[in-house]
Amino acid sequence: AQSVTQLDSQVPVFEEAPVELRCNYSSSVSVYLFWYVQYPNQGLQLLLKYLSGSTLVESINGFEAEFNKSQTSFHLRKPSVHISDTAEYFCAVAVKTSYDKVIFGPGTSLSVIP
Amino acid sequence: EAGVTQFPSHSVIEKGQTVTLRCDPISGHDNLYWYRRVMGKEIKFLLHFVKESKQDESGMPNNRFLAERTGGTYSTLKVQPAELEDSGVYFCASSHYEGGAGVYGYTFGSGTRLTVV
């Protein structure tokens, strides 16, 4: 079975400071990796994903995540956060042989402080 | 295009009552999924429809939950009778891609927050 751990349930950070949201997963088979974001009063949106190839993936709004197979991690980073980044972030995996079912982590609430 | 629509956005019911949640997927999306997040924990898969057929309902917690998708369009999720532990946020998602929604990504609705008191 697969599982996803997000060690930090809440992360407060000052505006323009860097941030890292940690994600570790457990799986005996190959997986795809995702970060989803939920802004207040909105649905979940796909932020970025790792399927194959370069282990560093980027989103259009400045976030990046790096797949580390040896550490089974997929941490999300941004060098300078904005107020508008305040949201809940979910790390998720999908098994390559059964990728219609996505397994989510518990989420990390990012609060950007002015 | 319109997104995935869920209603109600909030529902407060008493233990033992019945509640029906509705999801309207994006038009033309054959795949429809239900997920829920209970008490701030991880979001968990409930079931997957392909058109009107249940492709995978392995995540349904018990027989108090009944999901239907009439004519392959909108879907309903009925909880009868509701228990306190059913409180949480119920998300619906849809996808155009068969057998690969986990890769291409879902489009989620805003969720229904269910509170059972």
Side-chain angles (χ1 to χ4, degrees):
Chain A
Q2 292 72 42
S3 66
V4 179
T5 303
Q6 292 180 249
L7 292 175
D8 305 304
S9 60
Q10 296 184 30
V11 174
V13 62
F14 286 104
E15 192 175 14
E16 297 184 3
V19 69
E20 178 181 80
L21 307 183
R22 294 178 292 171
C23 171
N24 289 87
Y25 69 93
S26 173
S27 176
S28 58
V29 297
S30 296
V31 296
Y32 298 119
L33 295 155
F34 310 86
W35 277 97
Y36 278 83
V37 58
Q38 185 180 20
Y39 298 104
N41 301 315
Q42 296 185 27
L44 289 156
Q45 302 173 30
L46 181 63
L47 184 63
L48 48 74
K49 61 185 177 184
Y50 171 77
L51 304 182
S52 65
S54 172
T55 57
L56 184 66
V57 291
E58 299 177 353
S59 72
I60 59 174
N61 58 352
F63 281 94
E64 64 178 30
E66 186 162 19
F67 169 55
N68 187 318
K69 188 176 182 179
S70 62
Q71 296 186 3
T72 60
S73 68
F74 192 54
H75 300 331
L76 182 70
R77 303 183 183 94
K78 188 170 185 180
S80 176
V81 295
H82 303 288
I83 296 291
S84 59
D85 293 324
T86 294
E88 191 147 22
Y89 293 79
F90 297 90
C91 183
V93 303
V95 175
K96 287 186 177 181
T97 55
S98 179
Y99 40 67
D100 255 322
K101 184 187 298 183
V102 176
I103 296 126
F104 288 88
T108 296
S109 179
L110 174 65
S111 298
V112 180
I113 305 164
Chain B
E1 64 179 3
V4 177
T5 305
Q6 292 185 247
F7 49 92
S9 57
H10 293 81
S11 180
V12 181
I13 63 170
E14 294 184 351
K15 176 183 174 181
Q17 289 186 323
T18 298
V19 63
T20 300
L21 314 181
R22 173 167 168 151
C23 169
D24 286 70
I26 292 173
S27 178
H29 281 194
D30 289 339
N31 295 278
L32 187 148
Y33 310 80
W34 284 97
Y35 282 80
R36 75 170 180 175
R37 189 184 189 199
V38 175
M39 294 297 291
K41 295 185 178 178
E42 62 270 19
I43 301 167
K44 287 195 172 180
F45 170 85
L46 294 178
L47 86 160
H48 169 207
F49 282 101
V50 177
K51 297 184 180 178
E52 67 275 9
S53 300
K54 293 175 183 175
Q55 181 77 8
D56 182 353
E57 53 183 330
S58 60
M60 294 289 267
N62 52 60
N63 59 10
R64 295 187 292 105
F65 289 76
L66 175 63
E68 295 180 322
R69 190 179 182 191
T70 306
T73 55
Y74 70 91
S75 174
T76 58
L77 179 64
K78 179 188 289 187
V79 185
Q80 180 182 29
E83 298 290 344
L84 299 179
E85 64 264 26
D86 300 332
S87 295
V89 181
Y90 290 76
F91 292 101
C92 175
S94 72
S95 173
H96 175 63
Y97 298 97
E98 183 175 352
V103 173
Y104 297 104
Y106 302 100
T107 301
F108 278 90
S110 300
T112 294
R113 182 174 296 278
L114 174 64
T115 303
V116 183
V117 297

